[in-house]
Amino acid sequence: MLSRARPTRKTGPAVHRLVALLIAFGALVVGAGAAAATPARPSGPSRPSAPVPIATISPELANLPIDGPDYRAAQSRFDSAASALATATALAQSTTADLARLHADDARLSQLVMSETATKKDATIALAQTRTGLRALAIDSYVHGQDEAASASDVNAATTASGHQAIRQAISDAQIIRQRDATVAFTHAVDALRNDLESRVATRAELFTTQAAHDQAVADTARDTDTLAQRQVELDRSRVTATVVGQDYALVALDAYWRAANAMVADDPKCGIPWWALAGIARVESKHGTYGGAQILANGDEDRLIIGIPLDGTDNTQQIADTDGGQYDGDPNFDHAVGPMQFIPSTWRRWARDRNASPNNIYDATWSAAHYLCSGGPMQTDDQLRRGFLRYNQSDAYADEVLSVAKAYARFPIPSAQ
């Protein structure tokens, strides 16, 4: 906590140790005059009512392995949505091909039905004509046959009658053959027409069911595309707030430390503060923004306020009267340290990077803390780091603890930093 109050009188080692422990955890204790001080609980809503933006993680950190129950659940939902979309897309594609085939079959069968209907009509006419011809021939044969038989009294008449009979028989045979051919053609036309009509009915029934399946698949594809986009956002959000494997901080917290350290390369080239030094302070001050059950959201904001004990002169703290009208700490009488880096309001106003910055956002708080630390000189060697930590909190025990934690974080292998 910057400009943290310190004891106003000399105390023994045991008391110093107690003070160091209180300071190490951001002086998050409430209950002035209580027999046993209790940690402050983060206040405020547990989650914002609207989704917050998602921080863009630095490329060097983007592929670090992360884990956590929320991330695993989000990954499972994403995989399920991706599988559903793949199934719907595949069905939409296959039914598209089926519809093209079925429409082609329906067109072909409709052409055959039209052709076979014409053939049947021609066969029907031909069959009717042969039947009419045979009927007329039969009548003619009957009428003229009687007359010729009655008048065949001589050889010449008999010969003529016989000739006429032979001609009629020949005509009759030809008509019978034509009738038989017409009957066969008619039968074939009827059979072909019936078969193709049945095939077209079946094809159109399949077309109906396939079109319904295709329409549903298209609707499912649109729905599942939207669902997958939502699941992707959820996965991205849960990824940045998930814990870096093997560490005790979220990816978004590590990104805040990493970005602040890299920003100082341009802001103060002589400082050289490493990311892990800032991580060490955040761990001791607020457990990387998770003290009391608080969580860092996807944009770096805390989901609730982390407010330290009142700096009212009790519990071995220096008395610091209110400097912010309760704007940051909610107390109009005394100041409290606030946020993941535990800034005192007056110190925050001095070192906040811009007017829109918030001490409750780990990006803003870490960058501002880096500027405060670097204002005292380089932050590269152990001695320089310890000096900076003492500026942050004038306790040897505090500086030793932060340095120890920071050096442990320094061993974390970030590929681009090797």
Side-chain angles (χ1 to χ4, degrees):
M1 179 174 63
L2 302 187
S3 301
R4 176 173 298 172
R6 51 189 180 278
T8 58
R9 64 183 186 277
K10 293 184 179 181
T11 56
V15 176
H16 272 298
R17 181 57 182 165
L18 174 60
V19 174
L21 289 174
L22 289 173
I23 290 173
F25 288 98
L28 299 172
V29 181
V30 295
T38 56
R41 290 188 297 272
S43 60
S46 59
R47 285 290 185 273
S49 58
V52 299
I54 301 173
T56 300
I57 300 300
S58 302
E60 301 89 343
L61 311 178
N63 294 321
L64 289 178
I66 50 88
D67 194 20
D70 289 345
Y71 174 71
R72 289 194 295 270
Q75 183 69 65
S76 177
R77 290 192 296 270
F78 176 85
D79 291 343
S80 178
S83 177
L85 177 58
T87 299
T89 301
L91 182 58
Q93 292 173 344
S94 65
T95 51
T96 296
D98 290 341
L99 286 173
R101 173 181 57 79
L102 290 168
H103 279 299
D105 287 347
D106 181 68
R108 176 181 58 80
L109 289 169
S110 294
Q111 185 65 37
L112 287 174
V113 166
M114 184 171 63
S115 175
E116 287 156 359
T117 298
T119 300
K120 176 189 173 185
K121 179 180 179 181
D122 292 342
T124 300
I125 293 173
L127 183 59
Q129 289 174 341
T130 58
R131 286 174 177 171
T132 300
L134 284 173
R135 187 178 299 111
L137 183 62
I139 294 172
D140 180 74
S141 178
Y142 175 79
V143 171
H144 291 87
Q146 293 294 328
D147 294 341
E148 290 173 352
S151 61
S153 55
D154 56 30
V155 174
N156 290 334
T159 300
T160 299
S162 176
H164 289 168
Q165 184 66 28
I167 291 171
R168 283 195 291 271
Q169 184 62 46
I171 293 174
S172 176
D173 290 344
Q175 287 290 86
I176 290 173
I177 292 173
R178 284 196 296 273
Q179 182 186 40
R180 183 186 62 197
D181 292 343
T183 299
V184 170
F186 176 81
T187 301
H188 286 170
V190 169
D191 290 343
L193 181 60
R194 181 178 61 251
N195 291 336
D196 288 337
L197 282 172
E198 290 175 353
S199 295
R200 191 172 70 172
V201 168
T203 296
R204 289 182 174 178
E206 188 178 358
L207 257 174
F208 178 81
T209 57
T210 303
Q211 185 67 58
H214 176 74
D215 292 344
Q216 186 61 54
V218 170
D220 289 346
T221 298
R223 180 201 64 207
D224 293 342
T225 297
D226 290 341
T227 299
L228 185 63
Q230 296 171 10
R231 296 293 179 262
Q232 180 68 67
V233 172
E234 293 173 3
L235 183 62
D236 292 343
R237 189 181 306 281
S238 66
R239 174 171 177 77
V240 302
T241 58
T243 301
V244 177
V245 172
Q247 302 300 311
D248 61 349
Y249 43 69
L251 181 61
V252 66
L254 173 59
D255 191 54
Y257 311 144
W258 180 264
R259 286 183 180 276
N262 280 278
M264 294 310 298
V265 174
D267 294 352
D268 189 349
K270 294 181 180 179
C271 178
I273 188 171
W275 69 266
W276 41 266
L278 297 165
I281 292 177
R283 172 63 179 83
V284 172
E285 292 289 351
S286 68
K287 295 183 180 178
H288 302 292
T290 65
Y291 184 85
Q295 295 184 35
I296 304 176
L297 302 178
N299 65 343
D301 284 343
E302 294 287 345
D303 70 342
R304 63 195 74 182
L305 301 181
I306 301 177
I307 302 176
I309 61 172
L311 301 177
D312 57 6
T314 64
D315 294 318
N316 293 307
T317 62
Q318 182 182 4
Q319 185 179 99
I320 302 180
D322 176 67
T323 62
D324 67 332
Q327 176 184 355
Y328 296 114
D329 54 25
D331 187 344
N333 299 310
F334 297 97
D335 272 349
H336 301 241
V338 296
M341 300 301 281
Q342 287 291 278
F343 270 96
I344 291 174
S346 58
T347 311
W348 171 254
R349 284 198 301 271
R350 167 68 178 81
W351 294 99
R353 301 319 303 153
D354 61 66
R355 68 178 58 188
N356 295 319
S358 168
N360 300 303
N361 179 283
I362 197 165
Y363 284 101
D364 295 344
T366 303
W367 190 22
S368 299
H371 271 270
Y372 173 80
L373 290 165
C374 290
S375 69
M379 293 282 291
Q380 301 174 33
T381 68
D382 286 0
D383 288 342
Q384 292 169 346
L385 290 169
R386 196 171 187 282
R387 181 204 66 228
F389 298 153
L390 284 170
R391 288 190 72 230
Y392 211 88
N393 186 330
Q394 295 180 9
S395 164
D396 289 334
Y398 173 86
D400 289 342
E401 182 178 8
V402 173
L403 183 61
S404 175
V405 172
K407 296 293 281 187
Y409 288 145
R411 293 192 288 270
F412 179 63
I414 296 177
S416 62
Q418 304 307 306

